[in-house]
Amino acid sequence: MHRFSMTFLFVAVALSVFVTGCNDEQQAEVAMRRSCLSRLGENYQQFYTEKKQTPSNIEEFSRFVEANAKTDDKIASELTKRMAEGDLIVFWNATLSADGSSDRNHVLAFEATCPGNGGYMVTVGGLVDHVTAKEFGTMTEVEHQDPS
């Protein structure tokens, strides 16, 4: 009976360590997803401020993100990777409001999963939030022109 108790205890501890490890990994992934969208919003606004226009395509914006990244900037490299792989959808050639009044209400970019399953999105004003697919369907895109 003692051997069974020890085995059970060992399995319980091992399982709790495994589950906790998964939760830490999941939390790190969520933090990275949020950080990428936050950085995207910051860099998009910075691009607009410096160049007096918004980025017209992924190549132009990725170069800007990389040029403004600090040494060993994991968020910047992850952001450009996720955009290139199609995990993040960005509205290029956006028309930003002069006074910024509507910026918090308009979606600038979102995870590709948002329309079907929900996910994270960022507004023009930099708010990063998790939305359901239903919520996402009611949101307004920033006014933009598709790249030609």
Side-chain angles (χ1 to χ4, degrees), residues 44 91 94-96 103 106-109 124 140-144:
Y44 204 98
F91 294 119
T95 302
L96 304 184
D103 290 352
H106 291 87
V107 176
L108 175 64
V124 175
T140 306
E141 300 173 357
V142 65
E143 186 178 323
H144 65 282

Side-chain angles (χ1 to χ4, degrees), residues 41-146:
E42 291 168 10
N43 282 167
Y44 204 98
Q45 287 287 349
Q46 183 181 359
F47 187 103
Y48 178 69
T49 300
E50 290 180 17
K51 300 183 181 280
K52 308 299 182 222
Q53 65 182 32
T54 58
S56 60
N57 58 52
I58 189 172
E59 293 81 14
E60 180 180 41
F61 188 59
S62 291
R63 283 192 304 270
F64 183 82
V65 169
E66 291 166 3
N68 287 287
K70 297 173 178 66
T71 306
D72 295 330
D73 190 339
K74 292 182 173 120
I75 296 171
S77 60
E78 188 68 19
L79 168 58
T80 56
K81 176 183 154 227
R82 289 179 189 224
M83 287 189 304
E85 291 177 352
D87 294 336
L88 295 176
I89 310 301
V90 182
F91 294 119
W92 306 117
N93 298 308
T95 302
L96 304 184
S97 62
D99 65 359
S101 61
S102 65
D103 290 352
R104 73 177 67 94
N105 301 318
H106 291 87
V107 176
L108 175 64
F110 57 93
E111 292 179 318
T113 60
C114 279
N117 298 315
Y120 286 95
M121 60 91 212
V122 63
T123 64
V124 175
L127 173 69
V128 176
D129 200 10
H130 187 272
V131 293
T132 65
K134 185 175 182 177
E135 290 170 327
F136 184 76
T138 66
M139 301 187 85
T140 306
E141 300 173 357
V142 65
E143 186 178 323
H144 65 282
Q145 296 177 355
D146 291 324

